[in-house]
Amino acid sequence: NAGVTQTPKFQVLKTGQSMTLQCAQDMNHEYMSWYRQDPGMGLRLIHYSVGAGITDQGEVPNGYNVSRSTTEDFPLRLLSAAPSQTSVYFCASSRTGYEQYFGPGTRLTVT
Amino acid sequence: EDKVVQSPLSLVVHEGDTVTLNCSYEVTNFRSLLWYKQEKKAPTFLFMLTSSGIEKKSGRLSSILDKKELFSILNITATQTGDSAIYLCAVEATGGFKTIFGAGTRLFVKA
């Protein structure tokens, strides 16, 4: 099993550009989530999904969209990048809704 | 507002020392508390606690939850340099798949 994979590993965007961060898992987990991690602030939940076709907002959803058309994939879209979105983004999945398995992260810089 | 507070924010110890990391929380409809270890990249799961007073143990690491006083501790005995990492505490609430993370404790173990 590859576990949770994320692409790209690094990305630099200009303000106003849009892009999609990819996340996939091969463990058949129903629960998936996206977090951002900023220095001194731990992980903050952006969006999550409890199954294909079902998504909901987390703590910091503004400026981000998600969809869940399959169990395996949970892409995160940045609509119009802003410098405040410079962060490390982690995708995670869970079978039970309790312990989560995290991907390796995407480091995003917005200039 | 739901929140998770960890202390200390950072800690430097020598190999062989015992450390105690603290996590306090205020969460509506508490479901579980989890500890993760984050080395260079993705957090990895350590423990999940749902009941007060029951110690979870894995090798030199142990953790316990007090649901009356709303806190948990993570103990590491006979620390090794490989224990150097950020330790994250997270709390899950019922009514969704929303996880709230603390800011983490950065532990550095000197040889």
Side-chain angles (χ1 to χ4, degrees):
Chain A
N1 283 354
V4 180
T5 58
Q6 291 183 237
T7 56
K9 287 189 171 60
F10 302 94
Q11 182 70 50
V12 179
L13 290 178
K14 293 188 187 315
T15 297
Q17 288 184 316
S18 62
M19 79 160 295
T20 299
L21 306 185
Q22 301 292 343
C23 174
Q25 52 93 7
D26 62 358
M27 298 175 282
N28 203 33
H29 288 173
E30 290 296 325
Y31 300 89
M32 295 187 75
S33 51
W34 275 102
Y35 296 89
R36 59 178 290 173
Q37 187 173 35
D38 302 297
M41 298 192 73
L43 292 161
R44 290 185 291 167
L45 182 64
I46 304 171
H47 286 284
Y48 67 95
S49 169
V50 298
I54 307 170
T55 63
D56 204 349
Q57 296 181 349
E59 186 184 352
V60 288
N62 292 342
Y64 307 94
N65 272 356
V66 292
S67 60
R68 184 99 181 269
S69 56
T70 67
T71 299
E72 294 77 22
D73 299 299
F74 191 42
L76 177 72
R77 295 183 194 83
L78 278 71
L79 307 173
S80 177
S84 61
Q85 293 178 305
T86 293
S87 189
V88 179
Y89 291 84
F90 287 101
C91 177
S93 74
S94 175
R95 179 180 62 83
T96 61
Y98 289 96
E99 63 183 272
Q100 297 183 62
Y101 295 85
F102 286 82
T106 294
R107 186 174 294 274
L108 175 68
T109 302
V110 183
T111 61
Chain B
E1 182 183 338
D2 295 340
K3 63 180 179 181
V4 176
V5 178
Q6 292 186 246
S7 64
L9 291 181
S10 64
L11 191 56
V12 180
V13 301
H14 289 94
E15 267 192 322
D17 287 350
T18 293
V19 298
T20 298
L21 310 183
N22 303 293
C23 175
S24 64
Y25 62 91
E26 292 178 28
V27 174
T28 307
N29 299 323
F30 173 88
R31 186 168 75 144
S32 62
L33 185 145
L34 299 97
W35 285 96
Y36 290 86
K37 179 182 182 182
Q38 185 176 23
E39 296 178 83
K40 291 183 181 173
K41 289 190 175 179
T44 54
F45 172 78
L46 292 174
F47 297 113
M48 182 177 77
L49 303 146
T50 56
S51 301
S52 281
I54 298 175
E55 185 183 51
K56 290 287 182 86
K57 198 169 172 65
S58 175
R60 297 177 292 103
L61 278 65
S62 63
S63 183
I64 198 160
L65 172 67
D66 186 327
K67 288 169 72 174
K68 183 179 175 186
E69 300 297 329
L70 307 183
F71 78 91
S72 174
I73 59 172
L74 175 69
N75 279 323
I76 308 175
T77 59
T79 51
Q80 302 171 356
T81 55
D83 296 327
S84 296
I86 298 172
Y87 290 85
L88 296 165
C89 173
V91 174
E92 294 184 349
T94 58
F97 179 49
K98 288 192 177 183
T99 306
I100 303 156
F101 279 82
T105 294
R106 185 179 293 271
L107 173 66
F108 183 70
V109 181
K110 288 185 176 179

